[in-house]
Amino acid sequence: MKAADRWRAEGREPRHEGGQCRAEVQQPRQEGRQPRHEGGRCRAERAGRAEPRAADRCRAERQPPRHEGGQGLGRDMAAPPALLRAARSRPALTSPPALPAPFWTLTAGGAGAGPPQPRRGRAAAASIRRHRRPPPPPAPRRPPRPRRPRRPTRRGRYRQHNMAGAGGGNDIQWCFSQVKGAVDDDVAEADIISTVEFNHSGELLATGDKGGRVVIFQQEQENKTQSHSRGEYNVYSTFQSHEPEFDYLKSLEIEEKINKIRWLPQKNAAQFLLSTNDKTIKLWKISERDKRPEGYNLKEEDGRYRDPTTVTTLRVPVFRPMDLMVEASPRRIFANAHTYHINSISINSDYETYLSADDLRINLWHLEITDRSFNIVDIKPANMEELTEVITAAEFHPNSCSTFVYSSSKGTIRLCDMRASALCDRHSKLFEEPEDPSNRSFFSEIISSISDVKFSHSGRYMMTRDYLSVKIWDLNMENRPVETYQVHEYLRSKLCSLYENDCIFDKFECCWNGSDSIVMTGSYNNFFRMFDRNSKRDITLEASRENNKPRTVLKPRKVCASGKRKKDEISVDSLDFNKKILHTAWHPKENIIAVATTNNLYIFQDKMN
Amino acid sequence: MGGRSWEPLPLCAALWTCSPLVPEWRPWDPVHMLLTPVVPHWLFQNMDTMFVRGLKRKCFDGEEDIEGTLAGIKAIPSYNLQRQSLLDMSLVKLQLCHMLVEPNLCRSVLIANTVRQIQEEMTQDGTWQMINTQSPGQASLDRLVSTDILCRSSRDQAEGKHLPAYGAFSKDFGSDQAQESSETMSTASSVQAPRNLQSNVWEMENPQENKGNFQKSLDQIFETLENKSPNSVEDLFSEVDNSYYDLDTMLTGMMSNTKMGHCDGLETFSSPTNTASNSNCKSDLNDLDHIVEILVES
């Protein structure tokens, strides 16, 4: 429309009629003239789309990103320092996502009124479709480490080491093996490691961080010549598992921090893991690709389309080997089932179902079905003002597919059997130790809150971690634990200070070794502790860069609680409470441990002679 | 090993980044003095040791010995002091939520349980009534004794630090009490005294109301955790003293306050709250606009 006409339409008198615009003047293509070429494809199309980094995407939407995304663990030690945190801000609100209303905002009949309404129809399909978009490939700042092409073969070749019989914890000499992560002291918030997990064979080690990324390390095959060290763990895959979201109904951000990662046992060449943030669980498939098709008729090697008229011969495309590429793709998104923050996921021994636990409810999912889940535990009171207890952790029994336990903030563990009823609000067993009256203080309840519960591999015992101790329970005895180990008893007199600086709310995790003879947990000042159940001895070690020569044996550390400080002992007052080890993992078959400090991952193994 | 890191945690937690475990000697550090809530941690050692003569105590300045006599005198009030300051701390913790992200329900529940426990104990003890029946002279003597000891080392740096605490408490418990507290503060000679005075004033004047206030604040917190709406977020922000989030404001306010009286200090604190632009509030308002825009368009 001419400008003059537009003015008249708006009721204004145009200043002039305007000349002939270029579109009118331009000569159309003469008939019969052949264009020299069709114009080709722009470079971006030819190169294949490269997804920008999340931070750049934020900037494109004219919102400053909350952080630059850190570097992730997939970096060498000599990487450039992590970027500074940017101020937090909201993501773009101009285009709200097409998510259906979460079902918990629908008027429900009451707490635990059976399975939630399934999300049907286009809305459900839309959200699943949306998430099936191929994930952004990792965009590292430096090229990824070159990998040797490998055939996925059976992994039965690692030497089995005699752990249980040889006396356990203190006969093992732990040596430094590797450290992953940036060197600096200025920790980018996105780099803070939030979970560590070995897979069932121990070949893969997954870490999740606060920026929503998952980094998977793979153990190199054992080198026959290097008999005195096991394979190193190197970056296998990095992907962005969760993105920050915004809950419009509550006007609150949903953090992308990965709370838990759980591996599924391997059934074919691909690996599967479940990763969860506060609200959404995702099933990721990690697969290798080492061949690619070549020799298309209509496509050039670089992706450009060929003119069909120029094709003179036909050929059959063939697969040719290529550099190994590891792809991670989300296969299932389990969303919108939790009102509160998810703190645990646990895969059932039937490998078909899994549970997810938040502060007040536990849901049972089927791995294939994403639009519905069953609520099996609900401890939400009718009146929220009466709330005094929350669920802190939950786990399925390793062998019995209908049994699970959940721990609470009051120091109790409840074992439930799903065969008893559909809603397992009534426990089958209640594990609770009577309180020691001599140790009673204002903080007794807070320090009795259980932060982690883990079954032993055998399934006979379970271990719980509260603030000051590790307790091992026999499933057959409910009234007290069979073993109790004090992790850092010297902190008992400092509880008020720890309450002031919120350290008393730290959630430490614990883990078993492969043979259930040693348990390990973390502490402050980058210390971690191991307790040998057979010899009743314990050891304190430190994860620091000071001992970072490979095969350096770690020196046991000791904290002196009071009185005279011996040489080499550390006094309680000089502990650094900002350096805490919350997440540890033990290789399921060998004496290799992964210990996560704030932003670094340390791998230690026992000294092999 | 002295690898002690003094970096404060992200700002909302920075207030409670204290140095609980004070080394034998360290230089006077203004930033961390100001960031550390002045709750002498010797108070919270084992109850048994409080009754022992020659109790050793570690302070910011260094080590001092408490005479056994004093320990005997203040044995009972110090348990109350401990309990009261724990209660105050817990209430502040409950209110100082970082409201951009949903607060941690487990932490809130644990703190709320602690508050309830203290509240029940105080009711059972009859502490409300006990303070009520104290004669004014005796009460003031007690206060003076305890505050003298408490303030021996903490006078200087505590001055500015407690004012934000007052700000939060006064907003929580009504403006009337803020008036009272400012008046009582001007009469007191040291800083810890106002804190205790204020708490004693609450206890004397309206114990029932306080209990109701505790319950009310607890309920309020759980309600807000339960269902959030843009309006409630605004309300929460209007309640919380936002100068907490602005370290510069706090520091500049304190530097100019060192010589001023306590009342003036309070006023100075309220003004930054009004004038300083609170990014949280602003961004929330922007989001409200956005949401309204979206609703109107659709």
PDB file of all heavy atoms in Angstrom, chain A residues 583-607:
ATOM      1  N   HIS A 583      28.612 -35.171  47.991  1.00  0.00           N
ATOM      2  CA  HIS A 583      28.310 -36.258  47.058  1.00  0.00           C
ATOM      3  C   HIS A 583      29.535 -37.122  46.850  1.00  0.00           C
ATOM      4  O   HIS A 583      30.612 -36.625  46.503  1.00  0.00           O
ATOM      5  CB  HIS A 583      27.864 -35.673  45.718  1.00  0.00           C
ATOM      6  CG  HIS A 583      26.819 -34.621  45.859  1.00  0.00           C
ATOM      7  ND1 HIS A 583      25.512 -34.904  46.173  1.00  0.00           N
ATOM      8  CD2 HIS A 583      26.897 -33.268  45.761  1.00  0.00           C
ATOM      9  CE1 HIS A 583      24.835 -33.774  46.251  1.00  0.00           C
ATOM     10  NE2 HIS A 583      25.638 -32.766  46.009  1.00  0.00           N
ATOM     11  N   THR A 584      29.353 -38.399  47.053  1.00  0.00           N
ATOM     12  CA  THR A 584      30.433 -39.358  46.809  1.00  0.00           C
ATOM     13  C   THR A 584      29.825 -40.571  46.124  1.00  0.00           C
ATOM     14  O   THR A 584      28.626 -40.831  46.231  1.00  0.00           O
ATOM     15  CB  THR A 584      31.100 -39.824  48.114  1.00  0.00           C
ATOM     16  OG1 THR A 584      30.094 -40.386  48.957  1.00  0.00           O
ATOM     17  CG2 THR A 584      31.768 -38.684  48.837  1.00  0.00           C
ATOM     18  N   ALA A 585      30.675 -41.311  45.431  1.00  0.00           N
ATOM     19  CA  ALA A 585      30.202 -42.532  44.783  1.00  0.00           C
ATOM     20  C   ALA A 585      31.327 -43.540  44.777  1.00  0.00           C
ATOM     21  O   ALA A 585      32.503 -43.169  44.691  1.00  0.00           O
ATOM     22  CB  ALA A 585      29.745 -42.242  43.348  1.00  0.00           C
ATOM     23  N   TRP A 586      30.975 -44.812  44.871  1.00  0.00           N
ATOM     24  CA  TRP A 586      31.957 -45.881  44.890  1.00  0.00           C
ATOM     25  C   TRP A 586      31.670 -46.795  43.702  1.00  0.00           C
ATOM     26  O   TRP A 586      30.521 -47.172  43.442  1.00  0.00           O
ATOM     27  CB  TRP A 586      31.817 -46.691  46.191  1.00  0.00           C
ATOM     28  CG  TRP A 586      33.032 -47.465  46.565  1.00  0.00           C
ATOM     29  CD1 TRP A 586      33.714 -48.350  45.779  1.00  0.00           C
ATOM     30  CD2 TRP A 586      33.702 -47.456  47.823  1.00  0.00           C
ATOM     31  NE1 TRP A 586      34.768 -48.879  46.476  1.00  0.00           N
ATOM     32  CE2 TRP A 586      34.792 -48.361  47.734  1.00  0.00           C
ATOM     33  CE3 TRP A 586      33.495 -46.783  49.025  1.00  0.00           C
ATOM     34  CZ2 TRP A 586      35.666 -48.583  48.788  1.00  0.00           C
ATOM     35  CZ3 TRP A 586      34.354 -47.019  50.073  1.00  0.00           C
ATOM     36  CH2 TRP A 586      35.436 -47.901  49.957  1.00  0.00           C
ATOM     37  N   HIS A 587      32.717 -47.138  42.994  1.00  0.00           N
ATOM     38  CA  HIS A 587      32.612 -48.046  41.864  1.00  0.00           C
ATOM     39  C   HIS A 587      31.990 -49.360  42.346  1.00  0.00           C
ATOM     40  O   HIS A 587      32.341 -49.862  43.389  1.00  0.00           O
ATOM     41  CB  HIS A 587      34.016 -48.286  41.314  1.00  0.00           C
ATOM     42  CG  HIS A 587      34.058 -48.994  40.005  1.00  0.00           C
ATOM     43  ND1 HIS A 587      33.710 -50.325  39.851  1.00  0.00           N
ATOM     44  CD2 HIS A 587      34.424 -48.567  38.778  1.00  0.00           C
ATOM     45  CE1 HIS A 587      33.874 -50.678  38.598  1.00  0.00           C
ATOM     46  NE2 HIS A 587      34.313 -49.637  37.918  1.00  0.00           N
ATOM     47  N   PRO A 588      31.042 -49.898  41.563  1.00  0.00           N
ATOM     48  CA  PRO A 588      30.336 -51.093  42.060  1.00  0.00           C
ATOM     49  C   PRO A 588      31.192 -52.346  42.155  1.00  0.00           C
ATOM     50  O   PRO A 588      30.827 -53.285  42.840  1.00  0.00           O
ATOM     51  CB  PRO A 588      29.217 -51.288  41.025  1.00  0.00           C
ATOM     52  CG  PRO A 588      29.658 -50.550  39.831  1.00  0.00           C
ATOM     53  CD  PRO A 588      30.487 -49.416  40.302  1.00  0.00           C
ATOM     54  N   LYS A 589      32.318 -52.370  41.478  1.00  0.00           N
ATOM     55  CA  LYS A 589      33.099 -53.612  41.495  1.00  0.00           C
ATOM     56  C   LYS A 589      34.519 -53.408  42.003  1.00  0.00           C
ATOM     57  O   LYS A 589      35.127 -54.342  42.480  1.00  0.00           O
ATOM     58  CB  LYS A 589      33.170 -54.196  40.086  1.00  0.00           C
ATOM     59  CG  LYS A 589      31.812 -54.574  39.523  1.00  0.00           C
ATOM     60  CD  LYS A 589      31.997 -55.290  38.204  1.00  0.00           C
ATOM     61  CE  LYS A 589      30.686 -55.809  37.633  1.00  0.00           C
ATOM     62  NZ  LYS A 589      29.702 -54.775  37.354  1.00  0.00           N
ATOM     63  N   GLU A 590      35.048 -52.228  41.877  1.00  0.00           N
ATOM     64  CA  GLU A 590      36.463 -52.040  42.220  1.00  0.00           C
ATOM     65  C   GLU A 590      36.612 -50.974  43.282  1.00  0.00           C
ATOM     66  O   GLU A 590      35.647 -50.317  43.660  1.00  0.00           O
ATOM     67  CB  GLU A 590      37.235 -51.618  40.971  1.00  0.00           C
ATOM     68  CG  GLU A 590      37.111 -52.610  39.875  1.00  0.00           C
ATOM     69  CD  GLU A 590      37.924 -52.203  38.681  1.00  0.00           C
ATOM     70  OE1 GLU A 590      38.910 -51.468  38.844  1.00  0.00           O
ATOM     71  OE2 GLU A 590      37.575 -52.614  37.574  1.00  0.00           O
ATOM     72  N   ASN A 591      37.808 -50.781  43.709  1.00  0.00           N
ATOM     73  CA  ASN A 591      38.101 -49.759  44.709  1.00  0.00           C
ATOM     74  C   ASN A 591      38.453 -48.451  44.025  1.00  0.00           C
ATOM     75  O   ASN A 591      39.589 -47.999  44.058  1.00  0.00           O
ATOM     76  CB  ASN A 591      39.231 -50.209  45.625  1.00  0.00           C
ATOM     77  CG  ASN A 591      38.734 -51.186  46.660  1.00  0.00           C
ATOM     78  OD1 ASN A 591      37.554 -51.261  46.927  1.00  0.00           O
ATOM     79  ND2 ASN A 591      39.654 -51.945  47.244  1.00  0.00           N
ATOM     80  N   ILE A 592      37.462 -47.893  43.383  1.00  0.00           N
ATOM     81  CA  ILE A 592      37.624 -46.577  42.783  1.00  0.00           C
ATOM     82  C   ILE A 592      36.499 -45.728  43.334  1.00  0.00           C
ATOM     83  O   ILE A 592      35.337 -46.149  43.349  1.00  0.00           O
ATOM     84  CB  ILE A 592      37.492 -46.625  41.235  1.00  0.00           C
ATOM     85  CG1 ILE A 592      38.506 -47.605  40.673  1.00  0.00           C
ATOM     86  CG2 ILE A 592      37.703 -45.251  40.649  1.00  0.00           C
ATOM     87  CD1 ILE A 592      38.381 -47.770  39.173  1.00  0.00           C
ATOM     88  N   ILE A 593      36.848 -44.540  43.819  1.00  0.00           N
ATOM     89  CA  ILE A 593      35.809 -43.668  44.377  1.00  0.00           C
ATOM     90  C   ILE A 593      35.845 -42.324  43.670  1.00  0.00           C
ATOM     91  O   ILE A 593      36.896 -41.869  43.231  1.00  0.00           O
ATOM     92  CB  ILE A 593      35.979 -43.467  45.898  1.00  0.00           C
ATOM     93  CG1 ILE A 593      37.370 -42.971  46.234  1.00  0.00           C
ATOM     94  CG2 ILE A 593      35.650 -44.726  46.656  1.00  0.00           C
ATOM     95  CD1 ILE A 593      37.547 -42.657  47.697  1.00  0.00           C
ATOM     96  N   ALA A 594      34.674 -41.753  43.555  1.00  0.00           N
ATOM     97  CA  ALA A 594      34.543 -40.412  42.984  1.00  0.00           C
ATOM     98  C   ALA A 594      34.001 -39.514  44.081  1.00  0.00           C
ATOM     99  O   ALA A 594      32.976 -39.824  44.689  1.00  0.00           O
ATOM    100  CB  ALA A 594      33.592 -40.424  41.794  1.00  0.00           C
ATOM    101  N   VAL A 595      34.705 -38.445  44.337  1.00  0.00           N
ATOM    102  CA  VAL A 595      34.364 -37.542  45.434  1.00  0.00           C
ATOM    103  C   VAL A 595      34.185 -36.161  44.837  1.00  0.00           C
ATOM    104  O   VAL A 595      35.077 -35.675  44.136  1.00  0.00           O
ATOM    105  CB  VAL A 595      35.510 -37.544  46.475  1.00  0.00           C
ATOM    106  CG1 VAL A 595      35.322 -36.425  47.454  1.00  0.00           C
ATOM    107  CG2 VAL A 595      35.575 -38.869  47.181  1.00  0.00           C
ATOM    108  N   ALA A 596      33.065 -35.532  45.103  1.00  0.00           N
ATOM    109  CA  ALA A 596      32.776 -34.223  44.517  1.00  0.00           C
ATOM    110  C   ALA A 596      32.935 -33.143  45.579  1.00  0.00           C
ATOM    111  O   ALA A 596      32.242 -33.166  46.588  1.00  0.00           O
ATOM    112  CB  ALA A 596      31.363 -34.191  43.946  1.00  0.00           C
ATOM    113  N   THR A 597      33.865 -32.226  45.354  1.00  0.00           N
ATOM    114  CA  THR A 597      33.918 -31.023  46.181  1.00  0.00           C
ATOM    115  C   THR A 597      32.985 -30.010  45.525  1.00  0.00           C
ATOM    116  O   THR A 597      32.135 -30.395  44.732  1.00  0.00           O
ATOM    117  CB  THR A 597      35.346 -30.482  46.266  1.00  0.00           C
ATOM    118  OG1 THR A 597      35.795 -30.199  44.942  1.00  0.00           O
ATOM    119  CG2 THR A 597      36.259 -31.497  46.894  1.00  0.00           C
ATOM    120  N   THR A 598      33.147 -28.757  45.822  1.00  0.00           N
ATOM    121  CA  THR A 598      32.168 -27.803  45.321  1.00  0.00           C
ATOM    122  C   THR A 598      32.068 -27.822  43.804  1.00  0.00           C
ATOM    123  O   THR A 598      30.999 -27.987  43.236  1.00  0.00           O
ATOM    124  CB  THR A 598      32.545 -26.384  45.777  1.00  0.00           C
ATOM    125  OG1 THR A 598      32.809 -26.422  47.160  1.00  0.00           O
ATOM    126  CG2 THR A 598      31.416 -25.437  45.487  1.00  0.00           C
ATOM    127  N   ASN A 599      33.205 -27.696  43.140  1.00  0.00           N
ATOM    128  CA  ASN A 599      33.115 -27.674  41.691  1.00  0.00           C
ATOM    129  C   ASN A 599      34.106 -28.617  41.029  1.00  0.00           C
ATOM    130  O   ASN A 599      34.288 -28.551  39.824  1.00  0.00           O
ATOM    131  CB  ASN A 599      33.341 -26.258  41.161  1.00  0.00           C
ATOM    132  CG  ASN A 599      34.733 -25.750  41.475  1.00  0.00           C
ATOM    133  OD1 ASN A 599      35.326 -26.157  42.463  1.00  0.00           O
ATOM    134  ND2 ASN A 599      35.267 -24.887  40.637  1.00  0.00           N
ATOM    135  N   ASN A 600      34.769 -29.408  41.814  1.00  0.00           N
ATOM    136  CA  ASN A 600      35.727 -30.359  41.252  1.00  0.00           C
ATOM    137  C   ASN A 600      35.317 -31.784  41.572  1.00  0.00           C
ATOM    138  O   ASN A 600      34.697 -32.050  42.599  1.00  0.00           O
ATOM    139  CB  ASN A 600      37.120 -30.122  41.838  1.00  0.00           C
ATOM    140  CG  ASN A 600      37.740 -28.864  41.301  1.00  0.00           C
ATOM    141  OD1 ASN A 600      37.371 -28.394  40.250  1.00  0.00           O
ATOM    142  ND2 ASN A 600      38.681 -28.332  42.046  1.00  0.00           N
ATOM    143  N   LEU A 601      35.716 -32.686  40.689  1.00  0.00           N
ATOM    144  CA  LEU A 601      35.459 -34.099  40.914  1.00  0.00           C
ATOM    145  C   LEU A 601      36.793 -34.801  41.052  1.00  0.00           C
ATOM    146  O   LEU A 601      37.625 -34.735  40.148  1.00  0.00           O
ATOM    147  CB  LEU A 601      34.678 -34.682  39.729  1.00  0.00           C
ATOM    148  CG  LEU A 601      34.313 -36.151  39.870  1.00  0.00           C
ATOM    149  CD1 LEU A 601      33.198 -36.309  40.886  1.00  0.00           C
ATOM    150  CD2 LEU A 601      33.889 -36.727  38.531  1.00  0.00           C
ATOM    151  N   TYR A 602      36.995 -35.429  42.169  1.00  0.00           N
ATOM    152  CA  TYR A 602      38.237 -36.171  42.426  1.00  0.00           C
ATOM    153  C   TYR A 602      37.963 -37.658  42.260  1.00  0.00           C
ATOM    154  O   TYR A 602      36.938 -38.165  42.702  1.00  0.00           O
ATOM    155  CB  TYR A 602      38.719 -35.925  43.852  1.00  0.00           C
ATOM    156  CG  TYR A 602      39.268 -34.544  44.080  1.00  0.00           C
ATOM    157  CD1 TYR A 602      38.422 -33.478  44.318  1.00  0.00           C
ATOM    158  CD2 TYR A 602      40.640 -34.311  44.054  1.00  0.00           C
ATOM    159  CE1 TYR A 602      38.918 -32.208  44.515  1.00  0.00           C
ATOM    160  CE2 TYR A 602      41.144 -33.046  44.260  1.00  0.00           C
ATOM    161  CZ  TYR A 602      40.282 -31.990  44.494  1.00  0.00           C
ATOM    162  OH  TYR A 602      40.775 -30.734  44.688  1.00  0.00           O
ATOM    163  N   ILE A 603      38.921 -38.320  41.645  1.00  0.00           N
ATOM    164  CA  ILE A 603      38.818 -39.774  41.512  1.00  0.00           C
ATOM    165  C   ILE A 603      40.021 -40.370  42.199  1.00  0.00           C
ATOM    166  O   ILE A 603      41.168 -40.013  41.910  1.00  0.00           O
ATOM    167  CB  ILE A 603      38.748 -40.187  40.036  1.00  0.00           C
ATOM    168  CG1 ILE A 603      37.504 -39.554  39.415  1.00  0.00           C
ATOM    169  CG2 ILE A 603      38.701 -41.691  39.899  1.00  0.00           C
ATOM    170  CD1 ILE A 603      37.367 -39.782  37.946  1.00  0.00           C
ATOM    171  N   PHE A 604      39.740 -41.244  43.133  1.00  0.00           N
ATOM    172  CA  PHE A 604      40.815 -41.927  43.861  1.00  0.00           C
ATOM    173  C   PHE A 604      40.686 -43.419  43.632  1.00  0.00           C
ATOM    174  O   PHE A 604      39.586 -43.939  43.470  1.00  0.00           O
ATOM    175  CB  PHE A 604      40.702 -41.655  45.367  1.00  0.00           C
ATOM    176  CG  PHE A 604      40.758 -40.202  45.722  1.00  0.00           C
ATOM    177  CD1 PHE A 604      39.617 -39.524  46.096  1.00  0.00           C
ATOM    178  CD2 PHE A 604      41.961 -39.518  45.691  1.00  0.00           C
ATOM    179  CE1 PHE A 604      39.658 -38.177  46.432  1.00  0.00           C
ATOM    180  CE2 PHE A 604      42.008 -38.170  46.023  1.00  0.00           C
ATOM    181  CZ  PHE A 604      40.860 -37.498  46.382  1.00  0.00           C
ATOM    182  N   GLN A 605      41.801 -44.104  43.644  1.00  0.00           N
ATOM    183  CA  GLN A 605      41.752 -45.551  43.564  1.00  0.00           C
ATOM    184  C   GLN A 605      42.792 -46.130  44.505  1.00  0.00           C
ATOM    185  O   GLN A 605      43.671 -45.429  44.973  1.00  0.00           O
ATOM    186  CB  GLN A 605      41.961 -46.016  42.134  1.00  0.00           C
ATOM    187  CG  GLN A 605      43.181 -45.453  41.463  1.00  0.00           C
ATOM    188  CD  GLN A 605      43.169 -45.753  39.983  1.00  0.00           C
ATOM    189  OE1 GLN A 605      42.107 -45.784  39.377  1.00  0.00           O
ATOM    190  NE2 GLN A 605      44.322 -45.999  39.419  1.00  0.00           N
ATOM    191  N   ASP A 606      42.651 -47.411  44.748  1.00  0.00           N
ATOM    192  CA  ASP A 606      43.576 -47.992  45.707  1.00  0.00           C
ATOM    193  C   ASP A 606      44.888 -48.291  45.010  1.00  0.00           C
ATOM    194  O   ASP A 606      44.972 -48.448  43.794  1.00  0.00           O
ATOM    195  CB  ASP A 606      42.974 -49.236  46.367  1.00  0.00           C
ATOM    196  CG  ASP A 606      42.801 -50.357  45.365  1.00  0.00           C
ATOM    197  OD1 ASP A 606      42.839 -50.083  44.151  1.00  0.00           O
ATOM    198  OD2 ASP A 606      42.610 -51.499  45.806  1.00  0.00           O
ATOM    199  N   LYS A 607      45.876 -48.370  45.853  1.00  0.00           N
ATOM    200  CA  LYS A 607      47.217 -48.534  45.314  1.00  0.00           C
ATOM    201  C   LYS A 607      47.357 -49.984  44.872  1.00  0.00           C
ATOM    202  O   LYS A 607      47.178 -50.902  45.647  1.00  0.00           O
ATOM    203  CB  LYS A 607      48.212 -48.214  46.423  1.00  0.00           C
ATOM    204  CG  LYS A 607      49.646 -48.094  45.965  1.00  0.00           C
ATOM    205  CD  LYS A 607      50.483 -47.673  47.151  1.00  0.00           C
ATOM    206  CE  LYS A 607      51.954 -47.743  46.860  1.00  0.00           C
ATOM    207  NZ  LYS A 607      52.414 -46.582  46.097  1.00  0.00           N
TER     208      LYS A 607
END
